[in-house]
Amino acid sequence: MTQAELRLCSLLLQEHFGEIVEKVGNSLLRTGPRPLRLLVGDTGLLPDQVKKALCVLIQHNLVRYEVQPRGSVEYEARSERILRILRYPRYIYTAKTLYGDPGELLVEELLLHGHLPMSCAVARVADRLTETMEDGKTMDYTEVSSTFVRLADTHFIQRCPIVPESPRSAKALPHSAPALAIDEKDMYIVPRLSLVGKGKRRHSCDEEEEEGEHKTKRQKQDGGSSETPPDDGIYWQVNLERFHQHFRDQALVSAVASRMDQVCGSHLRSHSGTELFPFRFLVFPIQTSSEVVRTMLRMSEVTTASGASHTQPLSSNEIFRSLPSGYNIGKQVLDQYLALLADDPLEFVGKSGDSGGGTYTVKVTWGPGVSRVSPSSFPHPSLIPPLLHRFGSRCARIFRLLLRKKHLEQKQVEDFAMIPAKEAKDMLYRMLSENLVSLQEIPKTPDHAPSRTFYLYTVNVMAAARMLLHRCYKSVANLMERRQHEMRENKRLLEKSQRVEAILASMQATGAEAAQLHEVEEMITGPERQQLETLKHNVNKIDASENQVDETIFVLESFIESTTKRP
Amino acid sequence: LSMAGRGRGRGRGQMTFNVEAVGIGKGDALPPPTLQPSPLFPALERRAAPLPGGEEGEYMLALKQELRRAMRGLPYFVKPGAPRRDIERYSDKYQLSNPVDSAIDWNPGGGTQEGTWVEHGDVGLTGRLTNLPLCPPDWRRLPRELKIRVRRLRKGRTAPLVPKQHVALDKEETIKKLESLEKKEEEVTSEEEEEKEEEEEGKEEEEEEYDEEEHEEETDYVLSYFDNGESFGPDSDDNGDEAVY
């Protein structure tokens, strides 16, 4: 674990779980797996505090435990999972685009709580949705349940490992910690529950206590929630890998689109902010190649093992049948597109056989495919933009050149890139000093005399990727610290503004006049308002930047992971 | 004797490799040596590219800030227990409850004052408060050593309830002297185990009903009105509940 990762994990834990959890997490991250008493000693916290923190961390899958042979339990932090906290908004937004508001809220609840039983999750989401509906309307459990089932069917959520059934004999001592396990095949099976009910509306804050009182009474009378729920012991969590697969598919489709949908290519690029919405939305008929790839990926959603390099082979007949309705291209045309895609040097699609009119697979790794990389294509989509902005477009040109040609001498770089020698030198040294390019020595003579040695510039892709990733972590950590600093600096003003809003709200509730309201509003002076506006603007900007950097982190991590996995 | 390579002023700037091959021509001025660490904030040569805007970006931004706010209010955000005061004060009885270290308060209502303002609140968004019943930690899935014992200050008041799920909240200052029976503040319950291991393992003790905030005090007075006078003074701006004139 690098220092940058450690620092980022620390900040994430502190921001979302508080300082006590951060201290415990920190200790585990820096010193490795340890048992409880060592943790207590190391952090200097009270034992109860440490226990509480560990419960929270385990609940959220950020720490795992293992029973050691000698009976003690060791806890280990999962750093890569902690870093995923940064991506929570993206997961939730994706769920919204795919499954609407119920899907969004289900994923959000599961992320907020780590894991939940289905009955609990459905109830909470129904209540929240009911809150947003018009008066008198409620959200029925069945709609939320069906969304839950769809999420499970497409593997976006999965069951947590369960406590094994252990025979309870009088003599058997319960273990110090349960060994949780689950079979792959059981992971997506939704228990048969008949969840009946409607969301309960929560009244305004003032009446909350009464409502709560009524609720408790109602619950007691119902007897429903005082019994063990039917899905006791079955917990669900978000399947992050599946979301990553989805992001990857999106990137793949947009890469195909930008490369092959020539007519729409520039059109798409100008809409750089918008995601390509998924399958059931209207698609322009011109984007045929990307649509074909998207269809193939959709068909392979749950059949592709995570970490596989290709999807399962799909026959062109199957693909033809699975194209979205309203998409009327002939079978011949489809075959032509498939052939085109298969022939493309970037190997998005490979032909794997001839049965069923030809079978095809989609290559789904972030493979280098370095040999014939073109600037906008997907194997190195994000190595280039950071360079573009930091060093300038000419540096980027040199970098791309080196990626393509692998090894070049100083002179050759100047010639191929068509950049004057002095500038080229300067750029190369800057990139060299940042470790983006490296020098390779090739001696001509056995004595390695400097005057008779070739010095070639080259890009070590993995090293460059790792270095950029490290910088990304550092960037996010810096952004977070800056944001927290801004909030601290303006703490007094923020508290004042919150108080004023509270007063305003209570006055409005009791029916105050406009003049009185205005008077209260005036308590915040003009310059103070300005200051608050600036603060809000800055904080928003920093937050948006953090989201943006996380996108780059995702690409780099996927790339590194898939490249190191290959034999 | 002139040692090889030690010449200062002769052949200055020679290096082990052929500088021409790397591109440094003869007579080119080399950059001056670096004598200090690089500046903390190096000058930006180019401004960063603008952030992608658009609906997706806006929505994710809102989500992010919303999540942050929500998580601060959830009981998973562990706050340290209230520091012990130097002297016991009468007003402590009437203070709004403070978190207790040894309580796992994953339970309805949270007691973390979700309906009010949290520290470092994020600017601008109305919260979607998750004030709904939570499921307490499933002790079957966690190592036994993590179970926390809470000293109960009230002796057996209610009959034990059947299920584990329906636990209520009980929070109290851990001042053992105030163990009188008529005191009922907010209640925290967590499951308790007997101290001795030889006896029942994992047997639950009594659990207590969760009384809503209104019932916690048997006084007619609204709790927040109690001002113990400590915050009197020019530099106290704690009393956010009173109107500011």
Side-chain angles (χ1 to χ4, degrees), chain A residues 48 52 65 75 104 113 120 124 161 174 176 226 232 235 275 425 450 483 540 543 546, chain B residues 16 18 23 56 59 64-65 68 76 102-103 133-135 138 140-141 144-145 163:
Chain A
D48 277 349
K52 207 169 171 185
Y65 60 84
Y75 302 94
E104 175 194 3
H113 296 282
C120 194
R124 292 181 67 85
S176 46
S226 59
D232 184 39
Y235 293 90
E275 280 287 324
K425 243 186 298 176
R483 175 165 45 77
N540 284 352
D543 269 328
E546 290 174 30
Chain B
T16 54
N18 182 6
E56 183 193 345
Y59 197 83
K64 186 178 165 83
Q65 294 181 335
R68 211 163 40 225
Y76 307 118
S102 53
L134 292 177
C135 312
D138 190 346
R140 297 169 293 184
R141 298 174 61 91
R144 274 208 338 261
E145 63 185 1

mmCIF file of all heavy atoms in Angstrom, chain A residues 48 52 65 75 104 113 120 124 161 174 176 226 232 235 275 425 450 483 540 543 546, chain B residues 16 18 23 56 59 64-65 68 76 102-103 133-135 138 140-141 144-145 163:
data_model
loop_
_atom_site.group_PDB
_atom_site.id
_atom_site.type_symbol
_atom_site.label_atom_id
_atom_site.label_comp_id
_atom_site.label_asym_id
_atom_site.label_seq_id
_atom_site.Cartn_x
_atom_site.Cartn_y
_atom_site.Cartn_z
ATOM 1 N N ASP A 48 -14.263 -0.467 24.318
ATOM 2 C CA ASP A 48 -15.614 -0.432 23.756
ATOM 3 C C ASP A 48 -15.657 0.357 22.460
ATOM 4 O O ASP A 48 -16.393 0.026 21.534
ATOM 5 C CB ASP A 48 -16.582 0.194 24.768
ATOM 6 C CG ASP A 48 -17.061 -0.822 25.786
ATOM 7 O OD1 ASP A 48 -16.810 -2.017 25.569
ATOM 8 O OD2 ASP A 48 -17.672 -0.420 26.771
ATOM 9 N N LYS A 52 -16.814 -1.152 18.875
ATOM 10 C CA LYS A 52 -17.865 -0.512 18.091
ATOM 11 C C LYS A 52 -17.377 -0.221 16.680
ATOM 12 O O LYS A 52 -18.053 -0.485 15.692
ATOM 13 C CB LYS A 52 -18.235 0.792 18.780
ATOM 14 C CG LYS A 52 -19.625 1.285 18.562
ATOM 15 C CD LYS A 52 -19.863 2.404 19.536
ATOM 16 C CE LYS A 52 -21.152 3.127 19.289
ATOM 17 N NZ LYS A 52 -21.308 4.284 20.172
ATOM 18 N N TYR A 65 -12.599 -10.599 9.134
ATOM 19 C CA TYR A 65 -11.950 -11.226 10.286
ATOM 20 C C TYR A 65 -11.681 -12.683 9.962
ATOM 21 O O TYR A 65 -12.328 -13.289 9.117
ATOM 22 C CB TYR A 65 -12.814 -11.093 11.537
ATOM 23 C CG TYR A 65 -14.174 -11.729 11.411
ATOM 24 C CD1 TYR A 65 -14.346 -13.088 11.644
ATOM 25 C CD2 TYR A 65 -15.286 -10.972 11.079
ATOM 26 C CE1 TYR A 65 -15.579 -13.673 11.531
ATOM 27 C CE2 TYR A 65 -16.520 -11.556 10.974
ATOM 28 C CZ TYR A 65 -16.669 -12.901 11.195
ATOM 29 O OH TYR A 65 -17.893 -13.480 11.085
ATOM 30 N N TYR A 75 -8.208 -9.286 12.654
ATOM 31 C CA TYR A 75 -8.973 -8.397 11.787
ATOM 32 C C TYR A 75 -8.051 -7.807 10.743
ATOM 33 O O TYR A 75 -6.925 -7.434 11.027
ATOM 34 C CB TYR A 75 -9.602 -7.279 12.622
ATOM 35 C CG TYR A 75 -10.490 -7.813 13.708
ATOM 36 C CD1 TYR A 75 -9.999 -8.029 14.991
ATOM 37 C CD2 TYR A 75 -11.814 -8.148 13.441
ATOM 38 C CE1 TYR A 75 -10.808 -8.555 15.968
ATOM 39 C CE2 TYR A 75 -12.625 -8.667 14.423
ATOM 40 C CZ TYR A 75 -12.121 -8.872 15.686
ATOM 41 O OH TYR A 75 -12.914 -9.390 16.654
ATOM 42 N N GLU A 104 -32.504 2.975 -7.583
ATOM 43 C CA GLU A 104 -31.547 3.918 -7.007
ATOM 44 C C GLU A 104 -31.558 3.853 -5.494
ATOM 45 O O GLU A 104 -30.517 3.751 -4.847
ATOM 46 C CB GLU A 104 -31.898 5.320 -7.490
ATOM 47 C CG GLU A 104 -31.054 6.409 -6.878
ATOM 48 C CD GLU A 104 -31.632 7.792 -7.092
ATOM 49 O OE1 GLU A 104 -32.732 7.894 -7.671
ATOM 50 O OE2 GLU A 104 -30.986 8.755 -6.692
ATOM 51 N N HIS A 113 -25.854 1.079 4.508
ATOM 52 C CA HIS A 113 -25.880 0.196 5.661
ATOM 53 C C HIS A 113 -24.951 -1.000 5.528
ATOM 54 O O HIS A 113 -24.893 -1.823 6.433
ATOM 55 C CB HIS A 113 -27.306 -0.313 5.901
ATOM 56 C CG HIS A 113 -28.249 0.798 6.244
ATOM 57 N ND1 HIS A 113 -28.293 1.355 7.486
ATOM 58 C CD2 HIS A 113 -29.140 1.460 5.494
ATOM 59 C CE1 HIS A 113 -29.204 2.325 7.484
ATOM 60 N NE2 HIS A 113 -29.720 2.409 6.291
ATOM 61 N N CYS A 120 -36.134 -5.674 5.109
ATOM 62 C CA CYS A 120 -35.771 -4.373 5.665
ATOM 63 C C CYS A 120 -35.544 -3.354 4.551
ATOM 64 O O CYS A 120 -36.040 -2.229 4.604
ATOM 65 C CB CYS A 120 -34.494 -4.560 6.496
ATOM 66 S SG CYS A 120 -34.102 -3.204 7.546
ATOM 67 N N ARG A 124 -37.746 0.096 3.885
ATOM 68 C CA ARG A 124 -37.149 1.419 3.970
ATOM 69 C C ARG A 124 -37.327 2.187 2.671
ATOM 70 O O ARG A 124 -37.662 3.375 2.679
ATOM 71 C CB ARG A 124 -35.656 1.307 4.271
ATOM 72 C CG ARG A 124 -35.352 0.774 5.642
ATOM 73 C CD ARG A 124 -33.849 0.714 5.850
ATOM 74 N NE ARG A 124 -33.289 2.044 5.891
ATOM 75 C CZ ARG A 124 -33.239 2.797 6.983
ATOM 76 N NH1 ARG A 124 -33.695 2.327 8.118
ATOM 77 N NH2 ARG A 124 -32.724 3.999 6.937
ATOM 78 N N PRO A 161 -22.341 -13.911 2.472
ATOM 79 C CA PRO A 161 -22.077 -15.239 3.046
ATOM 80 C C PRO A 161 -22.879 -15.433 4.313
ATOM 81 O O PRO A 161 -23.117 -14.489 5.073
ATOM 82 C CB PRO A 161 -20.572 -15.201 3.337
ATOM 83 C CG PRO A 161 -20.035 -14.145 2.465
ATOM 84 C CD PRO A 161 -21.126 -13.140 2.265
ATOM 85 N N PRO A 174 -19.613 -22.627 21.206
ATOM 86 C CA PRO A 174 -19.711 -21.840 19.982
ATOM 87 C C PRO A 174 -18.342 -21.252 19.651
ATOM 88 O O PRO A 174 -17.570 -20.937 20.528
ATOM 89 C CB PRO A 174 -20.704 -20.730 20.323
ATOM 90 C CG PRO A 174 -20.994 -20.850 21.757
ATOM 91 C CD PRO A 174 -20.379 -22.082 22.299
ATOM 92 N N SER A 176 -15.425 -18.728 18.416
ATOM 93 C CA SER A 176 -15.227 -17.324 18.757
ATOM 94 C C SER A 176 -15.690 -16.415 17.633
ATOM 95 O O SER A 176 -16.042 -15.277 17.857
ATOM 96 C CB SER A 176 -13.749 -17.054 19.046
ATOM 97 O OG SER A 176 -12.963 -17.662 18.047
ATOM 98 N N SER A 226 -42.466 -7.500 15.236
ATOM 99 C CA SER A 226 -41.867 -7.995 16.458
ATOM 100 C C SER A 226 -41.533 -9.468 16.337
ATOM 101 O O SER A 226 -40.918 -10.054 17.199
ATOM 102 C CB SER A 226 -42.790 -7.756 17.655
ATOM 103 O OG SER A 226 -44.012 -8.404 17.417
ATOM 104 N N ASP A 232 -34.880 -14.018 7.863
ATOM 105 C CA ASP A 232 -33.890 -13.803 8.898
ATOM 106 C C ASP A 232 -32.565 -14.453 8.510
ATOM 107 O O ASP A 232 -32.527 -15.602 8.086
ATOM 108 C CB ASP A 232 -34.403 -14.418 10.202
ATOM 109 C CG ASP A 232 -33.456 -14.147 11.336
ATOM 110 O OD1 ASP A 232 -32.914 -13.039 11.399
ATOM 111 O OD2 ASP A 232 -33.247 -15.051 12.147
ATOM 112 N N TYR A 235 -28.775 -11.799 4.185
ATOM 113 C CA TYR A 235 -28.453 -10.407 3.966
ATOM 114 C C TYR A 235 -27.985 -10.198 2.538
ATOM 115 O O TYR A 235 -27.408 -11.085 1.920
ATOM 116 C CB TYR A 235 -27.363 -9.955 4.938
ATOM 117 C CG TYR A 235 -27.833 -9.953 6.370
ATOM 118 C CD1 TYR A 235 -27.693 -11.076 7.170
ATOM 119 C CD2 TYR A 235 -28.435 -8.827 6.904
ATOM 120 C CE1 TYR A 235 -28.139 -11.077 8.476
ATOM 121 C CE2 TYR A 235 -28.880 -8.820 8.209
ATOM 122 C CZ TYR A 235 -28.732 -9.944 8.988
ATOM 123 O OH TYR A 235 -29.173 -9.939 10.275
ATOM 124 N N GLU A 275 -23.706 10.433 -20.626
ATOM 125 C CA GLU A 275 -23.452 9.001 -20.756
ATOM 126 C C GLU A 275 -24.322 8.436 -21.861
ATOM 127 O O GLU A 275 -25.391 8.951 -22.128
ATOM 128 C CB GLU A 275 -23.848 8.287 -19.466
ATOM 129 C CG GLU A 275 -22.812 8.393 -18.373
ATOM 130 C CD GLU A 275 -21.617 7.509 -18.676
ATOM 131 O OE1 GLU A 275 -21.814 6.433 -19.235
ATOM 132 O OE2 GLU A 275 -20.504 7.913 -18.359
ATOM 133 N N LYS A 425 13.472 18.058 -26.949
ATOM 134 C CA LYS A 425 14.355 17.698 -25.855
ATOM 135 C C LYS A 425 13.740 18.051 -24.512
ATOM 136 O O LYS A 425 13.673 17.248 -23.601
ATOM 137 C CB LYS A 425 15.656 18.498 -26.014
ATOM 138 C CG LYS A 425 16.879 17.670 -26.236
ATOM 139 C CD LYS A 425 18.110 18.512 -26.240
ATOM 140 C CE LYS A 425 18.116 19.541 -27.356
ATOM 141 N NZ LYS A 425 19.293 20.411 -27.286
ATOM 142 N N PRO A 450 29.852 4.947 -23.593
ATOM 143 C CA PRO A 450 28.720 5.849 -23.810
ATOM 144 C C PRO A 450 28.645 6.379 -25.242
ATOM 145 O O PRO A 450 27.565 6.587 -25.765
ATOM 146 C CB PRO A 450 28.964 6.995 -22.834
ATOM 147 C CG PRO A 450 29.856 6.434 -21.801
ATOM 148 C CD PRO A 450 30.677 5.375 -22.462
ATOM 149 N N ARG A 483 -11.179 20.657 0.749
ATOM 150 C CA ARG A 483 -12.602 20.867 0.976
ATOM 151 C C ARG A 483 -12.887 20.980 2.462
ATOM 152 O O ARG A 483 -13.628 21.849 2.919
ATOM 153 C CB ARG A 483 -13.395 19.725 0.354
ATOM 154 C CG ARG A 483 -14.861 19.803 0.644
ATOM 155 C CD ARG A 483 -15.678 18.913 -0.237
ATOM 156 N NE ARG A 483 -15.166 17.571 -0.411
ATOM 157 C CZ ARG A 483 -15.263 16.592 0.468
ATOM 158 N NH1 ARG A 483 -15.848 16.821 1.619
ATOM 159 N NH2 ARG A 483 -14.771 15.402 0.199
ATOM 160 N N ASN A 540 -18.634 22.703 -4.284
ATOM 161 C CA ASN A 540 -19.209 21.932 -5.394
ATOM 162 C C ASN A 540 -18.153 21.581 -6.417
ATOM 163 O O ASN A 540 -18.105 20.461 -6.935
ATOM 164 C CB ASN A 540 -20.316 22.737 -6.074
ATOM 165 C CG ASN A 540 -21.584 22.749 -5.262
ATOM 166 O OD1 ASN A 540 -21.694 22.041 -4.271
ATOM 167 N ND2 ASN A 540 -22.541 23.565 -5.660
ATOM 168 N N ASP A 543 -15.960 18.815 -5.070
ATOM 169 C CA ASP A 543 -16.662 17.537 -5.090
ATOM 170 C C ASP A 543 -16.747 16.973 -6.496
ATOM 171 O O ASP A 543 -16.532 15.782 -6.723
ATOM 172 C CB ASP A 543 -18.080 17.714 -4.523
ATOM 173 C CG ASP A 543 -18.121 17.482 -3.028
ATOM 174 O OD1 ASP A 543 -17.325 16.652 -2.546
ATOM 175 O OD2 ASP A 543 -18.944 18.118 -2.356
ATOM 176 N N GLU A 546 -13.535 15.519 -7.470
ATOM 177 C CA GLU A 546 -13.276 14.212 -6.871
ATOM 178 C C GLU A 546 -13.969 13.124 -7.675
ATOM 179 O O GLU A 546 -13.399 12.071 -7.953
ATOM 180 C CB GLU A 546 -13.769 14.183 -5.419
ATOM 181 C CG GLU A 546 -12.951 15.045 -4.476
ATOM 182 C CD GLU A 546 -13.568 15.097 -3.086
ATOM 183 O OE1 GLU A 546 -14.215 14.114 -2.688
ATOM 184 O OE2 GLU A 546 -13.406 16.136 -2.422
ATOM 185 N N THR B 16 28.896 10.295 -17.200
ATOM 186 C CA THR B 16 29.363 8.965 -17.612
ATOM 187 C C THR B 16 28.870 8.570 -18.983
ATOM 188 O O THR B 16 29.408 7.685 -19.614
ATOM 189 C CB THR B 16 28.876 7.906 -16.617
ATOM 190 O OG1 THR B 16 27.461 8.024 -16.505
ATOM 191 C CG2 THR B 16 29.522 8.105 -15.270
ATOM 192 N N ASN B 18 27.417 9.529 -22.961
ATOM 193 C CA ASN B 18 27.640 10.501 -24.015
ATOM 194 C C ASN B 18 26.450 11.442 -24.091
ATOM 195 O O ASN B 18 25.361 11.043 -24.492
ATOM 196 C CB ASN B 18 27.811 9.753 -25.350
ATOM 197 C CG ASN B 18 28.100 10.732 -26.476
ATOM 198 O OD1 ASN B 18 28.274 11.916 -26.244
ATOM 199 N ND2 ASN B 18 28.148 10.212 -27.696
ATOM 200 N N GLY B 23 20.998 14.158 -26.413
ATOM 201 C CA GLY B 23 20.484 15.364 -27.038
ATOM 202 C C GLY B 23 21.017 16.652 -26.473
ATOM 203 O O GLY B 23 20.617 17.726 -26.889
ATOM 204 N N GLU B 56 -25.685 14.465 -15.682
ATOM 205 C CA GLU B 56 -25.118 13.372 -14.913
ATOM 206 C C GLU B 56 -24.176 13.896 -13.841
ATOM 207 O O GLU B 56 -24.230 13.492 -12.680
ATOM 208 C CB GLU B 56 -24.368 12.428 -15.852
ATOM 209 C CG GLU B 56 -23.818 11.236 -15.123
ATOM 210 C CD GLU B 56 -22.832 10.494 -15.981
ATOM 211 O OE1 GLU B 56 -22.819 10.754 -17.184
ATOM 212 O OE2 GLU B 56 -22.098 9.676 -15.427
ATOM 213 N N TYR B 59 -26.053 15.544 -11.041
ATOM 214 C CA TYR B 59 -26.755 14.599 -10.180
ATOM 215 C C TYR B 59 -25.791 13.866 -9.272
ATOM 216 O O TYR B 59 -26.046 13.664 -8.082
ATOM 217 C CB TYR B 59 -27.539 13.590 -11.035
ATOM 218 C CG TYR B 59 -28.584 12.872 -10.245
ATOM 219 C CD1 TYR B 59 -29.830 13.445 -10.013
ATOM 220 C CD2 TYR B 59 -28.336 11.619 -9.690
ATOM 221 C CE1 TYR B 59 -30.789 12.800 -9.273
ATOM 222 C CE2 TYR B 59 -29.285 10.956 -8.941
ATOM 223 C CZ TYR B 59 -30.516 11.557 -8.746
ATOM 224 O OH TYR B 59 -31.467 10.909 -8.006
ATOM 225 N N LYS B 64 -23.348 12.823 -4.025
ATOM 226 C CA LYS B 64 -22.159 12.735 -3.169
ATOM 227 C C LYS B 64 -22.341 13.538 -1.901
ATOM 228 O O LYS B 64 -22.068 13.065 -0.800
ATOM 229 C CB LYS B 64 -20.962 13.250 -3.957
ATOM 230 C CG LYS B 64 -19.646 13.079 -3.249
ATOM 231 C CD LYS B 64 -18.553 13.585 -4.154
ATOM 232 C CE LYS B 64 -17.279 13.782 -3.422
ATOM 233 N NZ LYS B 64 -16.491 12.593 -3.261
ATOM 234 N N GLN B 65 -22.847 14.748 -2.054
ATOM 235 C CA GLN B 65 -23.010 15.595 -0.870
ATOM 236 C C GLN B 65 -24.102 15.054 0.033
ATOM 237 O O GLN B 65 -24.004 15.106 1.254
ATOM 238 C CB GLN B 65 -23.303 17.027 -1.312
ATOM 239 C CG GLN B 65 -22.116 17.623 -2.038
ATOM 240 C CD GLN B 65 -22.343 19.043 -2.478
ATOM 241 O OE1 GLN B 65 -23.468 19.472 -2.667
ATOM 242 N NE2 GLN B 65 -21.273 19.774 -2.653
ATOM 243 N N ARG B 68 -22.773 12.154 2.065
ATOM 244 C CA ARG B 68 -21.923 12.593 3.162
ATOM 245 C C ARG B 68 -22.769 13.031 4.334
ATOM 246 O O ARG B 68 -22.543 12.662 5.482
ATOM 247 C CB ARG B 68 -21.049 13.750 2.681
ATOM 248 C CG ARG B 68 -19.730 13.787 3.372
ATOM 249 C CD ARG B 68 -18.703 14.623 2.693
ATOM 250 N NE ARG B 68 -19.162 15.847 2.141
ATOM 251 C CZ ARG B 68 -18.819 16.275 0.920
ATOM 252 N NH1 ARG B 68 -18.057 15.527 0.166
ATOM 253 N NH2 ARG B 68 -19.259 17.420 0.473
ATOM 254 N N TYR B 76 -23.657 4.635 12.276
ATOM 255 C CA TYR B 76 -22.352 4.076 11.954
ATOM 256 C C TYR B 76 -21.264 5.112 12.132
ATOM 257 O O TYR B 76 -20.088 4.775 12.170
ATOM 258 C CB TYR B 76 -22.333 3.573 10.506
ATOM 259 C CG TYR B 76 -23.452 2.632 10.198
ATOM 260 C CD1 TYR B 76 -24.393 2.938 9.239
ATOM 261 C CD2 TYR B 76 -23.578 1.438 10.894
ATOM 262 C CE1 TYR B 76 -25.432 2.074 8.968
ATOM 263 C CE2 TYR B 76 -24.608 0.578 10.621
ATOM 264 C CZ TYR B 76 -25.535 0.899 9.660
ATOM 265 O OH TYR B 76 -26.558 0.052 9.398
ATOM 266 N N SER B 102 -20.087 2.799 24.976
ATOM 267 C CA SER B 102 -20.272 1.352 24.958
ATOM 268 C C SER B 102 -21.610 0.952 24.392
ATOM 269 O O SER B 102 -22.046 -0.152 24.602
ATOM 270 C CB SER B 102 -20.129 0.820 26.371
ATOM 271 O OG SER B 102 -20.989 1.546 27.206
ATOM 272 N N ALA B 103 -22.246 1.836 23.669
ATOM 273 C CA ALA B 103 -23.554 1.458 23.143
ATOM 274 C C ALA B 103 -23.489 1.296 21.640
ATOM 275 O O ALA B 103 -22.940 2.128 20.943
ATOM 276 C CB ALA B 103 -24.577 2.515 23.507
ATOM 277 N N PRO B 133 -36.587 2.728 10.896
ATOM 278 C CA PRO B 133 -36.028 1.672 11.759
ATOM 279 C C PRO B 133 -34.872 0.964 11.072
ATOM 280 O O PRO B 133 -34.926 0.605 9.921
ATOM 281 C CB PRO B 133 -37.207 0.706 11.942
ATOM 282 C CG PRO B 133 -38.398 1.481 11.630
ATOM 283 C CD PRO B 133 -38.016 2.569 10.689
ATOM 284 N N LEU B 134 -33.842 0.770 11.827
ATOM 285 C CA LEU B 134 -32.686 0.055 11.307
ATOM 286 C C LEU B 134 -32.659 -1.340 11.882
ATOM 287 O O LEU B 134 -33.277 -1.622 12.890
ATOM 288 C CB LEU B 134 -31.400 0.761 11.698
ATOM 289 C CG LEU B 134 -31.173 2.122 11.054
ATOM 290 C CD1 LEU B 134 -29.904 2.718 11.597
ATOM 291 C CD2 LEU B 134 -31.069 1.976 9.563
ATOM 292 N N CYS B 135 -31.889 -2.177 11.236
ATOM 293 C CA CYS B 135 -31.733 -3.507 11.791
ATOM 294 C C CYS B 135 -30.468 -3.506 12.635
ATOM 295 O O CYS B 135 -29.420 -3.101 12.162
ATOM 296 C CB CYS B 135 -31.614 -4.527 10.667
ATOM 297 S SG CYS B 135 -32.872 -4.303 9.426
ATOM 298 N N ASP B 138 -26.279 -8.035 13.559
ATOM 299 C CA ASP B 138 -26.600 -9.438 13.753
ATOM 300 C C ASP B 138 -25.406 -10.090 14.432
ATOM 301 O O ASP B 138 -24.386 -10.362 13.793
ATOM 302 C CB ASP B 138 -26.874 -10.071 12.387
ATOM 303 C CG ASP B 138 -27.448 -11.457 12.531
ATOM 304 O OD1 ASP B 138 -27.379 -12.009 13.662
ATOM 305 O OD2 ASP B 138 -27.952 -11.996 11.544
ATOM 306 N N ARG B 140 -24.884 -12.895 15.349
ATOM 307 C CA ARG B 140 -24.502 -14.236 14.906
ATOM 308 C C ARG B 140 -23.410 -14.182 13.859
ATOM 309 O O ARG B 140 -22.693 -15.142 13.636
ATOM 310 C CB ARG B 140 -25.710 -14.958 14.296
ATOM 311 C CG ARG B 140 -26.836 -15.174 15.280
ATOM 312 C CD ARG B 140 -28.075 -15.643 14.589
ATOM 313 N NE ARG B 140 -28.623 -14.608 13.716
ATOM 314 C CZ ARG B 140 -29.751 -14.749 13.047
ATOM 315 N NH1 ARG B 140 -30.441 -15.858 13.135
ATOM 316 N NH2 ARG B 140 -30.176 -13.787 12.275
ATOM 317 N N ARG B 141 -23.295 -13.023 13.205
ATOM 318 C CA ARG B 141 -22.328 -12.922 12.117
ATOM 319 C C ARG B 141 -21.012 -12.308 12.559
ATOM 320 O O ARG B 141 -20.098 -12.167 11.754
ATOM 321 C CB ARG B 141 -22.909 -12.058 10.999
ATOM 322 C CG ARG B 141 -24.147 -12.614 10.377
ATOM 323 C CD ARG B 141 -24.694 -11.610 9.398
ATOM 324 N NE ARG B 141 -23.758 -11.333 8.325
ATOM 325 C CZ ARG B 141 -23.737 -11.986 7.182
ATOM 326 N NH1 ARG B 141 -24.593 -12.960 6.973
ATOM 327 N NH2 ARG B 141 -22.863 -11.677 6.255
ATOM 328 N N ARG B 144 -17.556 -13.109 18.712
ATOM 329 C CA ARG B 144 -18.169 -12.905 20.028
ATOM 330 C C ARG B 144 -17.498 -11.809 20.809
ATOM 331 O O ARG B 144 -18.128 -11.115 21.588
ATOM 332 C CB ARG B 144 -18.095 -14.207 20.816
ATOM 333 C CG ARG B 144 -19.234 -15.128 20.530
ATOM 334 C CD ARG B 144 -19.549 -16.036 21.694
ATOM 335 N NE ARG B 144 -18.442 -16.215 22.600
ATOM 336 C CZ ARG B 144 -17.626 -17.258 22.594
ATOM 337 N NH1 ARG B 144 -17.830 -18.217 21.739
ATOM 338 N NH2 ARG B 144 -16.634 -17.342 23.455
ATOM 339 N N GLU B 145 -16.208 -11.672 20.618
ATOM 340 C CA GLU B 145 -15.496 -10.723 21.461
ATOM 341 C C GLU B 145 -15.918 -9.293 21.219
ATOM 342 O O GLU B 145 -15.623 -8.406 22.014
ATOM 343 C CB GLU B 145 -13.987 -10.841 21.235
ATOM 344 C CG GLU B 145 -13.572 -10.488 19.822
ATOM 345 C CD GLU B 145 -12.093 -10.731 19.595
ATOM 346 O OE1 GLU B 145 -11.419 -11.185 20.536
ATOM 347 O OE2 GLU B 145 -11.624 -10.475 18.487
ATOM 348 N N PRO B 163 -37.941 -11.180 20.574
ATOM 349 C CA PRO B 163 -36.959 -11.260 19.481
ATOM 350 C C PRO B 163 -35.744 -10.369 19.705
ATOM 351 O O PRO B 163 -35.787 -9.421 20.447
ATOM 352 C CB PRO B 163 -37.743 -10.741 18.280
ATOM 353 C CG PRO B 163 -38.666 -9.740 18.883
ATOM 354 C CD PRO B 163 -38.935 -10.150 20.290
#
